[in-house]
Amino acid sequence: MRARHRRPLLSLALGLLLLSPAAEAAVAMRRCSSSYTQLLGQLRSLAHLMKDTSCLLEPYIRLQGLDTPVLRGFCTECSGAFPSEDALAALSRLAFLQTVSATLDGVLQRLAVLQQKCLKAKDLPEFHVARKNIQGVRNNIYCMSELLTNGSETPEAPLPGTEAPLRPSAQDTFQAKVEGCQLLCGYHRFMGSVEQVFEKWGDSPSRNRRHSPRRALHKGARRARPSRRVKKPVPRGQ
Amino acid sequence: MAFSVVFQTALMLALLSWRTCQSEVLAEYSPLTPEGLNISVSSALQHLHFQWTVHKLPYQELQMVFPIEISRVETSKVIWMGNYSTTVKQDQVLHWSWESELPLECAPHFVRIKSIVNDARFPELSFTSNWSSWKEVRAPTPEQNHWLIFPRNKLVEEGSNVTFCYNSARNPGLSCYVESALIDGEQLDSNLFTFTLTNIPFIRTQGTNIYCGVNHTLKDGVVLFVSKVLEEPKNFSCETQDFKTLNCTWDPGVDTGLGYNRQPSQQYTLFDSVSGKKKFCVHNNWCNWEISQDLPATFNFTLTAENYLRKRTVSTAFALTDRVHLKAPESVYFKNVSATNATVTWKVPVFRNYVTLLCQIELHDKENVRQEHNVSIKGNGEFLFSELQPDTEYVVRIRCASARHVWKWSKWAAATLVTAEAAPSKALDVWRIVKSNEGLHNVTLFWKPLSKFHANGKILFYNIVAKNLDKKSELKLLCIPAPTNGTELTLDQGSYQIQVTANNSVGPSPTSEIVISENSGNEEVEEEKINGTKDGFLVSWNPRYGDRAGHVVDWCEHPQNLHCDLQWKYLGSNTTSTVISSDAFRPGIRYNFGIYELSTDKTAYLVEKKTGYTQELAPLDSPQVAVANLTPHSFTLSWKDYDTESQRGFIQGYYVCLKSNSTECHPDSVKEGLPAYMLMHIILPMMLCVLLIAVVCYWKSQWVKEKCYPDIPDPYKSSILSLVKSKENPHLTVMNVKDCIPDAIEVINKSEGTKVQFTGKPLTESESPRPANLYLLPAEDFSGLAPCISFENFTYNESACDSGSCAHIPVPTTAPPCQLGMLASPDNSLTSLENTHTHSQGEIPAGEMNMNYVSQLASPMLGDKDSLLINPPEPVLCSEYKMQMAVPSHLASPVLSE
């Protein structure tokens, strides 16, 4: 029954995606672009878009009534479950992509829980947009990974996944509120870091620098979760 | 005595024995103390639930009272004392609850209980037990080490009061806030603080944030969920469309749902007490109820709205037939459709055909509701419409309701009905123009198309039958296809009866008939001028013939067009006037009206003709003036009259203005020559006076000279010649008639519009006629001041002409350089002649096409007006100031020669 309802929803979502900032990423998932420059440009643009706190964090703060000095201060103590910029910058490009993809996968799950638990669908439409953007980034990361792999760049172990730390822990409503706030803060900051790393990428798919993955292991990494390749992302709406 | 002692002893023993027995009984039931006291905590409700038993009841049941004491923090701080009275049964587990204002997590509570037997049936059992030992109660706190504020996640209704507590033992300087407002807590214990929020408002579905921190560092917080008060459902009603399902609807009011799944939106339940059935409604404002066909069709519904905090109910009871809201009728068709009648049929989708229905039927045309009917039906409906208009499109609307009780009308069902055509119902309105030409009558027939109301269908053609009344056998037949509205017939000079009919697919209209008599088109009737207004023309006439059937007034609405758009108006036989008005009437256009009397045999006789303007306008152009017979003393002016149809007003006459050349007679300067005017009226008279004095002085000196030493007169020393010796021609000593050349002729048309200008309302430049200036140039060497003659024409002025004097001067105070006078008036001409050193001018009556001009030279005969035209003086000298005059041709004959 649910699956039957999902099919038109999927069509609708895909239709909306064509109009959304992640529309190009949706196309890339079905047929990846072979243009490194185009993919990198899209990833940079999406990361730039998603680091903006006015897209998600600020609406959330207003909706939850957290816009007071004490609570806002607590909110901006962003979740430490995200890899730091230094840690990301130290990774090889493939490992970086894998880490970003895994982290965003965890964010997607947390957002779904957060939305299901504390919000009605109409309360915060920005949640829907954010999830679509994350899926768009993951799709582009998949294509970029394919591009780099075909260029015989050797994959490295990604940073520890963020699934466990991002799991909802709070049973208390107030804690759930502020943890959601911190999660969104961390998410925006993480996307800012991702943008910074992408900015440092060269204009050519050929490898032009090499970072020691070991340096990253203890910078922001909580738990290693090896993965050779970035998982093929699930199409949106499923 | 001994007996009494024995009796008393026995009695004492008996009493002792009874007391002993009683003591034994009491001793046996003394442990009525509450036992097994168990206390549980409901943190969410802040309830303490007591549970205990009383063992060994001596009877099946006993009325007892249980005093209870509750302390907080320590046993000595009793915060509540009370009694719980109940009937205790054997082996019964007793329950009692106590609600704490303060969250139970804030501090430990201590409780104790005792029992009192208080049963009137067993007064002997009056007994009070001892207190039970104090029992400590602590609310469970899963994360007691971290949570500082209580209660957590509490749900209350808007307007409630809630007490919070917080513990600052581990956080000295702890401050607490509600949203962003700092709260002062009341110290309950060394580290325990409380505060109470009263009349709490609803802020958001995500709850109200209450939190504590130290130096703006958050330590703990809770969310207080405030629900809006559940409202009673409004406008609860049920109805059926098909007798199978009841559709109940209501207005749910505010949504009391809260975030974090703390409280879902209120749920609705429908309960029918008649059938005992209950249904949970999925939607928050409507619910369907299946009707059981085997149950009586009555219902008593209770709708319950419920959330976690409250229930609200509303009820309605009704019979099913009183809540019928039918679907719109279906299958609306027409049968037996004729030009005036049609039958409509329809069906109502009703499950039970035995229900009598009331149906409303409306018949609309394009504008209004033409017919309304109410009919009662069972099952299918049928209704006959009559008195319909042929070839007309109607819309029929039908709606129905239960005839037993009109709860609500169904929606309208509509269908379009087009009636059949019928023959036209009215004769055509026909008129004609007859022109006689070479023994024939050229008859142009016109008719007005029938209105849709009278046409009764599409007019296909018009039939015209012309019968020669003198030769009955002669017939002319014409068939004119629609939509032509006229035709031309050429008939001989005999009398003809012309019949016209309009025909549609069904048949012809009634015949319209007119008669052309032999004299038609030859009537000669004098045309009379009438004054129109912007509202039209008042046309009146005098009846001519006694035996008449009516009148017709006809006119052209666009007389300047090739097709003049003939209009006519039929009037009654006794009517002698009518107002003709039309949006097409324009100022400055002449409209001609013909008034006809209709005889009883339909012959029309022209009796009067009228012509007029709604508003007269000044002529646009001046007449084209030609000069003929030009001599040094006279000339003839001629011009063409205005075309009657192009006149913008009635041309009453023409003004001729003769001006001196010193006035710079420019076509545009006729009204602007004020300096020249000033020259003539101020400077020239002064010069004249000086000249007169000089002449007198000279004459006196001559008289002395003649008396004393007369001299031979020398013609070269004439005073006249002294005048001629001007600076322009100092060498000229003999007056040469060739020098007396008329200089310019100016013709100015003036209509009533021009008159308006003189009374203070100036004409615009475009409206003002341009004066026709005609310059008669002197000889080549003449470069001095040249006089000019100016003509002006004036539109018809009834008062002036009626009085027989058309010589009014329209500019009494601001006379132009040329004083204007009507040439038609001899008096005026003479008056002008009497004024030396001014220009004479006159007005030419309309119709006069030419005029002789005689130059009035300077002469000692000035003032002899009678001899002026008969014996004009011989010109002696050419004066700089020439008295001039314009006269109509009939007055000026013969033309004076040199």
Side-chain angles (χ1 to χ4, degrees), chain A residues 64-65 68 117-118 173 177, chain B residues 152-153 204 206 209 211 260:
Chain A
Q64 299 291 348
T68 70
K117 187 174 180 181
C118 61
T173 308
K177 272 191 176 187
Chain B
R152 307 193 76 85
N153 306 338
R204 66 179 75 85
Q206 303 298 314
N209 298 317
Y211 51 95
Y260 292 90

Side-chain angles (χ1 to χ4, degrees), chain B residues 334-344 363-366 370-371 384-396 415-423 452-453 455-458 504-506:
Chain B
F334 298 98
K335 63 181 183 181
N336 304 328
V337 178
S338 68
T340 55
N341 296 322
T343 300
V344 61
L363 180 77
H364 296 249
D365 61 10
K366 285 184 178 176
R370 294 299 177 191
Q371 295 183 22
L384 171 66
F385 288 110
S386 58
E387 299 177 352
L388 300 176
Q389 181 65 27
D391 188 40
T392 302
E393 181 176 309
Y394 294 98
V395 172
V396 174
T416 302
L417 165 68
V418 180
T419 51
E421 289 190 2
K452 188 174 186 329
F453 181 78
N456 290 342
K458 184 180 180 183
N504 62 16
S505 64
V506 178

Side-chain angles (χ1 to χ4, degrees), chain B residues 446-633:
Chain B
F446 299 92
W447 55 87
K448 295 175 183 174
L450 289 172
S451 67
K452 188 174 186 329
F453 181 78
H454 293 112
N456 290 342
K458 184 180 180 183
I459 299 298
L460 302 175
F461 57 92
Y462 297 93
N463 273 337
I464 298 164
V465 178
K467 294 180 187 172
N468 190 325
L469 296 178
D470 304 325
K471 305 169 189 175
K472 297 288 184 184
S473 58
E474 265 194 30
L475 277 177
K476 272 197 171 183
L477 299 174
L478 281 175
C479 181
I480 310 295
T484 308
N485 290 325
T487 189
E488 289 188 0
L489 297 173
T490 302
L491 307 173
D492 60 29
Q493 284 287 20
S495 297
Y496 276 87
Q497 180 193 57
I498 301 175
Q499 295 177 328
V500 186
T501 56
N503 295 262
N504 62 16
S505 64
V506 178
S509 67
T511 302
S512 184
E513 187 178 294
I514 57 175
V515 174
I516 308 296
S517 67
E518 288 184 19
N519 292 330
S520 294
N522 293 324
E523 302 98 330
E524 294 208 354
V525 177
E526 189 173 347
E527 189 175 68
E528 183 185 345
K529 294 172 182 173
I530 57 173
N531 290 325
T533 67
K534 63 179 180 181
D535 297 323
F537 295 88
L538 174 61
V539 179
S540 59
W541 60 90
N542 296 315
R544 291 278 177 87
Y545 310 104
D547 191 15
R548 59 183 177 271
H551 293 91
V552 174
V553 178
D554 71 1
W555 70 97
C556 287
E557 239 176 32
H558 300 96
Q560 292 180 318
N561 293 355
L562 180 62
H563 304 289
C564 76
D565 192 8
L566 183 71
Q567 303 292 313
W568 65 93
K569 187 175 180 181
Y570 276 91
L571 299 160
S573 59
N574 295 324
T575 306
T576 58
S577 67
T578 185
V579 174
I580 306 295
S581 59
S582 168
D583 292 337
F585 287 158
R586 296 284 179 270
I589 304 292
R590 179 182 290 195
Y591 296 98
N592 301 310
F593 300 91
I595 298 109
Y596 299 82
E597 278 189 4
L598 289 176
S599 67
T600 51
D601 65 352
K602 306 290 177 64
T603 305
Y605 300 99
L606 178 64
V607 292
E608 289 191 27
K609 286 163 72 176
K610 309 280 184 182
T611 185
Y613 297 84
T614 56
Q615 182 189 350
E616 291 188 65
L617 299 178
L620 283 175
D621 302 310
S622 297
Q624 297 297 317
V625 179
V627 180
N629 304 326
L630 179 62
T631 70
H633 312 293

